[in-house]
Amino acid sequence: MTSRRLLLLAARILGVCLVLSAVPATTATATTAGPPVPAAAPTVSEGEVMPHLQALQQIADRNGGNRAHGTQGYADSVAYVRKALDRAGFHTELRPFSYGGAAGYNLIADWPGGDPNHVLFTGAHLDSVKQGPGINDNGSGAAAVLTTALRVADAGLKPTRHLRFAWWGAEEGGLVGSTDYVRKLSADDRSKIDLYLNLDQAGSKNTKQWLVVHDNEHGETEGQQAFEAWFAARGIATFDIGVGGSDHESFGNAGIPSSGFSTGISDCIHEACDDLANVDPQTETTSTNALLGVVWQLAATPAASRH
């Protein structure tokens, strides 16, 4: 998560905590109604998610303790994710950009099939800061998105909407990679994206509620209602936050509706201690299953045209 957005998100989280302490505990659990998660939606175990985080930790360990933009650690992280996607049958592409005098890359993966005029887009940033390995921020989001994509392939999913996934570069520099990607889209291509879902810090320890993005400016309700319904069905508390602080802001700035969620800022944000020990495996697994359930649901849902 970019440094210049941290104070804003921290303030939101503080506001959440103050609200939680001021009202009865029963109001902390989301009750927003929404379409049920399809029974066919898969679930994953800790053993299917955490190995990706272990791989990212090993990459950082081999490369000076980080996976930052412009470093071999970031290049190796992209290679790891891309190899898994290529083996699973995705069409992958590296989208280059330049920042701070160094080459950067976004990794884009498309699953064959679905209506190309209605794209369900899911992403997370893959880079860390130079101070640490970035396993919660944002290896956790990147691993959840990768696990979801691989389960799509395992199931041979035939979606109604076209499914696209992304792993963004240089988010820590100020949403650089995702901004570059969106800026280079034609107006027609932007209009084909029904919804962008973003994960940033999906495995924070001591998580009491999941922070769900509400894009009120663009009237987005489909994504946030689906996430809140998934959590509510399991008795998990949620609170809404606005668009900002991570890569969904790049999409929102271009008028593309967005949602997603975070588990809040961890104790080791942007430090060397943001390693495997900074991720709660149960929280990471819950986040991944929430994303899986919502992607499965929305992939099968026809959407009204945004043209």
Side-chain angles (χ1 to χ4, degrees):
M1 185 167 291
T2 151
S3 298
R4 66 191 180 87
R5 310 290 179 181
L6 292 180
L7 289 177
L8 178 59
L9 183 52
R12 287 174 179 151
I13 294 171
L14 177 59
V16 164
C17 295
L18 291 174
V19 170
L20 186 60
S21 65
V23 298
T26 55
T27 65
T29 300
T31 57
T32 303
V37 177
T43 58
V44 295
S45 66
E46 177 183 322
E48 295 172 84
V49 185
M50 293 304 292
H52 297 309
L53 289 176
Q54 292 164 3
L56 293 177
Q57 178 71 66
Q58 291 167 2
I59 288 170
D61 291 343
R62 294 195 302 265
N63 291 282
N66 72 81
R67 303 179 301 99
H69 163 73
T71 68
Q72 188 61 45
Y74 181 71
D76 289 353
S77 298
V78 171
Y80 171 80
V81 174
R82 189 179 194 183
K83 183 177 181 180
L85 294 166
D86 286 342
R87 285 179 170 176
F90 282 84
H91 172 74
T92 62
E93 181 182 4
L94 292 181
R95 298 288 186 93
F97 62 89
S98 180
Y99 171 68
Y105 301 94
N106 296 316
L107 174 60
I108 310 298
D110 284 270
W111 180 243
D115 185 348
N117 292 313
H118 291 286
V119 177
L120 177 62
F121 204 149
T122 304
H125 79 87
L126 186 55
D127 63 313
S128 75
V129 294
K130 290 185 177 179
Q131 292 87 344
I135 301 304
N136 191 42
D137 184 17
N138 185 39
S140 62
V145 174
L146 176 57
T147 303
T148 297
L150 295 179
R151 288 310 299 262
V152 165
D154 289 343
L157 188 65
K158 298 184 183 301
T160 300
R161 287 165 158 161
H162 181 72
L163 298 183
R164 181 171 299 148
F165 299 87
W167 291 262
W168 307 114
E171 189 268 1
E172 298 292 3
L175 317 181
V176 177
S178 57
T179 297
D180 182 83
Y181 174 85
V182 174
R183 179 177 60 82
K184 291 176 179 175
L185 291 175
S186 67
D188 184 52
D189 285 338
R190 287 196 298 272
S191 72
K192 292 176 181 178
I193 301 173
D194 287 341
L195 176 61
Y196 173 72
L197 305 176
N198 192 75
L199 265 66
D200 198 336
Q201 297 194 69
S204 300
K205 289 186 169 183
N206 302 314
T207 296
K208 303 301 182 185
Q209 62 274 321
W210 271 249
L211 308 179
V212 177
V213 174
H214 282 221
D215 186 0
N216 297 325
E217 181 178 351
H218 301 109
E220 198 290 311
T221 58
E222 186 180 33
Q224 59 95 354
Q225 286 182 356
F227 280 122
E228 289 177 346
W230 191 95
F231 287 118
R234 292 153 182 82
I236 299 173
T238 61
F239 284 90
D240 67 282
I241 58 174
V243 176
S246 192
D247 293 295
H248 52 293
E249 183 175 350
S250 301
F251 286 79
N253 288 341
I256 300 170
S258 65
S259 188
F261 63 83
S262 172
T263 54
I265 296 173
S266 66
D267 292 338
C268 287
I269 184 75
H270 293 178
E271 297 180 22
C273 57
D274 188 9
D275 55 17
L276 273 175
N278 194 41
V279 171
D280 177 60
Q282 184 176 354
T283 299
E284 174 71 7
T285 304
T286 297
S287 291
T288 304
N289 282 319
L291 181 63
L292 266 167
V294 168
V295 166
W296 233 256
Q297 175 183 322
L298 299 185
T301 305
S305 176
R306 293 180 54 240
H307 293 239

